[in-house]
Amino acid sequence: NAGVTQTPKFQVLKTGQSMTLQCAQDMNHEYMSWYRQDPGMGLRLIHYSVGAGITDQGEVPNGYNVSRSTTEDFPLRLLSAAPSQTSVYFCASGRSGQPQHFGDGTRLSIL
Amino acid sequence: KQEVTQIPAALSVPEGENLVLNCSFTDSAIYNLQWFRQDPGKGLTSLLLIQSSQREQTSGRLNASLDKSSGRSTLYIAASQPGDSATYLCAVRVLTSGTYKYIFGTGTRLKVLA
């Protein structure tokens, strides 16, 4: 059982480049979300989805896009990378009222 | 606006000691509270989830309590071991703008000394 799989694990980008962080889950969870984790700030919600075709903004959505065409996949797109987006990104999935499951994260550096 | 605080930010204890980690939240209108463990360079692993109607949950050497009225939760770790060294985070599930979301604390970094 793979759980929540994030790729890549590490990435270095130059300012202005775009890229997509991948997230896939094999547990048929309706709820998926993206967080970023920065020192001293905890995890902050970027975007989330309550089911295929439904997405919404979280606490810090600027500079990021998401889509949810299938239940399994929830990619996060950086449109034009900025140094302030250097962070560790986590994808999570779950069902209402049940524990959330997290991926191992993507460590992203923007130069 | 819901805020979640975990104090202390770091804790170092000798092996075998029983310890308590604290989590406080500002708005008692929560739907559940979840405790996570995070090892360096890894994602979060769910330890315990307490529904708003519950007072506590137990799993092995871990016991989590919830007092909604006072906005507090504690995670009790019995007979601590070096393998318990990790960062422990709590998160509350709230209803905001018609959708459920989790609000996280910044964590307590625990080191258990052999």
Side-chain angles (χ1 to χ4, degrees):
Chain A
N1 190 347
V4 179
T5 302
Q6 290 185 238
T7 57
K9 294 189 184 304
F10 302 93
Q11 184 70 48
V12 178
L13 293 177
K14 294 181 180 179
T15 297
Q17 287 185 315
S18 62
M19 80 160 294
T20 299
L21 280 63
Q22 302 290 345
C23 176
Q25 54 95 5
D26 61 359
M27 297 170 282
N28 200 32
H29 289 161
E30 70 269 16
Y31 188 91
M32 296 187 74
S33 52
W34 277 102
Y35 296 88
R36 58 179 289 173
Q37 186 176 37
D38 301 291
M41 301 195 70
L43 277 81
R44 292 181 292 170
L45 182 64
I46 305 171
H47 285 285
Y48 63 95
S49 168
V50 298
I54 306 170
T55 64
D56 207 344
Q57 297 181 348
E59 183 183 356
V60 288
N62 291 340
Y64 307 95
N65 270 355
V66 292
S67 60
R68 184 95 180 270
S69 57
T70 67
T71 299
E72 294 79 18
D73 300 299
F74 191 44
L76 178 72
R77 298 182 187 86
L78 277 70
L79 309 174
S80 178
S84 61
Q85 294 178 304
T86 293
S87 186
V88 182
Y89 291 85
F90 288 101
C91 178
S93 74
R95 290 200 178 95
S96 178
Q98 295 189 8
Q100 287 198 98
H101 298 257
F102 280 77
D104 283 342
T106 294
R107 283 144 190 82
L108 182 63
S109 292
I110 315 296
L111 304 178
Chain B
K1 179 184 174 184
Q2 177 74 267
E3 293 184 0
V4 180
T5 303
Q6 292 185 248
I7 295 173
L11 182 63
S12 186
V13 301
E15 182 178 7
E17 190 164 299
N18 302 324
L19 59 99
V20 173
L21 305 181
N22 297 298
C23 173
S24 61
F25 44 95
T26 55
D27 188 341
S28 62
I30 67 170
Y31 288 82
N32 63 44
L33 184 144
Q34 197 166 353
W35 281 94
F36 295 88
R37 168 185 174 138
Q38 185 176 26
D39 293 289
K42 295 292 186 180
L44 281 67
T45 301
S46 179
L47 297 174
L48 291 165
L49 183 145
I50 311 176
Q51 302 293 349
S52 61
S53 58
Q54 297 174 321
R55 296 285 291 183
E56 65 177 347
Q57 283 285 339
T58 298
S59 176
R61 294 183 294 108
L62 305 179
N63 176 277
S65 67
L66 175 63
D67 184 342
K68 276 181 57 177
S69 60
S70 67
R72 292 186 60 191
S73 176
T74 60
L75 179 67
Y76 175 84
I77 303 177
S80 59
Q81 303 170 358
D84 294 330
S85 298
T87 296
Y88 291 80
L89 297 103
C90 67
V92 296
R93 188 171 188 239
V94 299
L95 183 62
T96 304
S97 302
T99 305
Y100 290 103
K101 300 174 186 174
Y102 276 97
I103 309 295
F104 282 82
T106 53
T108 294
R109 191 170 60 255
L110 173 66
K111 186 170 186 179
V112 180
L113 305 171

